Each structure stands twice: as structure tokens, then as C-alpha cells.
Amino acid sequence: MNNIYKSIYNEIKKYKKVYIARHIGPDPDAFGSQMALKASISLSFPEKEVYAVGTTVARFKYFGKVDKVNSYDYENSLLIVVDTPDKKRVDIDNIDKFKNLVKIDRHPKVDKFSDVEYIVEDASSASELVLDVLENTKLKVNQEIAEHIYAGIVSDTNRFLVSTTNKTLDTVSNLIRKYKVDIES
């Protein structure tokens, strides 16, 4: 297991509560990566409390609902931020209060706000990076998770017209084959 994957996995294992945030004004990649990661952690660690946080956007309801959290357990929780290069764009208040943070992102680095940061600027999407983490750790993937990732990748590549590499196409091909992703719906 690569050190960054191991570091992310170990942080997830450490905490009973995990919050997953993404950027303000989310797009399908932000939702896809967030909801895929939430579903995978919940599937892999059923005893953990896992929350997808941020503003609800009605047009993306097919990803599922974000969780309403009245108060955060800052001292005893992990915050994972996906698809967000800087603190001011994270769709949650008081991120500095969390005991620890993990950042998974494809944008050029703007702010360093975590000791554990997985940033690959030439990745197609945050969804592709989340899948990298899942496939290189003991976190589980099922059809629902694969479909969230697929939707995020398709969206951020503008249906494979931009930011698409051989790796992106291989990833999508494997998702469709292995998890029976319904690409028409």
C-alpha cells in the first residue's frame, strides 16, 4: 500500500466519526466523490458514523441526500475534504476546529490545510482520486459507489472531451465491467 493511501486509510480507521465535505456550489464530481467515499467508509466500517455535509442541491438528488448535522464533534472526528483546493471554498464552517483533516483533490494547490493531502493535478476528477484510494486500501466498492464515481468522472471530463487520459478510460471501462455500472441512466 502506497504511503498516501495508507495514511488516508489509517486516518479513517482512527475515528469513530467521519465527516466528508466538498466545495461550495457543488457539481457532480464534488457530489460523486463525496457520496462514493461516504458509502465506501460506511460499507467498510458499519460501526462508524459517516456524514456527507454541505448544502443540498436539488438537481443532484440522484446522488442521495447530504446529512443534516446540528453540531460537530470536532475533537473526536475526522474531516475529509474532496474536490476543494482552498479553505474558503469548503462547504462547512470551522474546518480548523477539527482534530484532523484529509484532503483529496485534483486542483492546483491553493491552501495547505491538512497534514494528509492527496493531490494529483492531472487527474480527471476528484472522483477518480477517490477511486484510487478505495482500490489501493481495504475500503470496499459496490455498484452504487461505482456509479457515483462514474457520474463524477463523466461530468468533470465533459463526457471525456477534456482532462481524459488512458488511465481515465481504463478506470471507467473497469467500473462498467466490474460493477455493472448502468451508463445509460
Side-chain angles (χ1 to χ4, degrees):
M1 194 182 308
N2 180 313
N3 283 344
I4 190 61
Y5 304 127
K6 187 175 185 177
S7 295
I8 293 169
Y9 185 75
N10 286 340
E11 289 302 314
I12 292 167
K13 279 179 40 178
K14 262 192 242 182
Y15 294 90
K16 183 178 179 344
K17 290 183 185 175
V18 179
Y19 300 95
I20 305 165
R22 33 84 184 141
H23 61 76
I24 295 167
D27 56 17
D29 182 39
F31 270 113
S33 57
Q34 179 186 39
M35 299 309 256
L37 191 54
K38 176 189 176 186
S40 178
I41 295 170
S42 296
L43 182 64
S44 304
F45 299 101
E47 72 283 0
K48 290 188 184 299
E49 296 176 43
V50 186
Y51 304 96
V53 297
T55 310
T56 299
V57 178
R59 72 177 186 258
F60 300 132
K61 65 183 177 188
Y62 56 89
F63 283 109
K65 294 181 180 181
V66 293
D67 299 297
K68 295 202 183 301
V69 177
N70 295 322
S71 64
Y72 293 93
D73 186 4
Y74 297 109
E75 282 299 309
N76 302 303
S77 303
L78 173 66
L79 174 64
I80 302 173
V81 177
V82 296
D83 199 29
T84 312
D86 54 337
K87 279 200 256 189
K88 69 182 181 200
R89 293 205 59 223
V90 178
D91 195 2
I92 183 175
D93 293 327
N94 303 315
I95 69 168
D96 291 325
K97 288 186 177 183
F98 280 91
K99 186 166 185 156
N100 205 358
L101 287 91
V102 168
K103 177 178 168 182
I104 302 171
D105 191 34
R106 67 178 286 286
H107 299 96
K109 187 181 263 190
V110 175
D111 288 340
K112 179 173 174 49
F113 53 88
S114 168
D115 288 335
V116 180
E117 293 188 340
Y118 180 38
I119 301 170
V120 181
E121 292 180 24
D122 62 351
S124 71
S125 57
S127 295
E128 184 177 311
L129 295 177
V130 166
L131 183 61
D132 285 346
V133 172
L134 304 183
E135 289 183 332
N136 287 285
T137 64
K138 295 177 183 175
L139 292 170
K140 297 177 182 176
V141 181
N142 62 18
Q143 184 178 12
E144 172 196 8
I145 295 162
E147 288 176 350
H148 289 326
I149 289 168
Y150 175 80
I153 293 171
V154 168
S155 170
D156 246 29
T157 61
N158 194 14
R159 296 185 176 163
F160 309 109
L161 294 175
V162 297
S163 302
T164 301
T165 64
N166 289 341
K167 181 182 184 292
T168 307
L169 295 174
D170 287 344
T171 296
V172 170
S173 176
N174 290 334
L175 282 175
I176 294 166
R177 186 174 37 261
K178 188 172 182 181
Y179 298 104
K180 310 292 186 243
V181 172
D182 180 0
I183 62 173
E184 290 181 19
S185 66

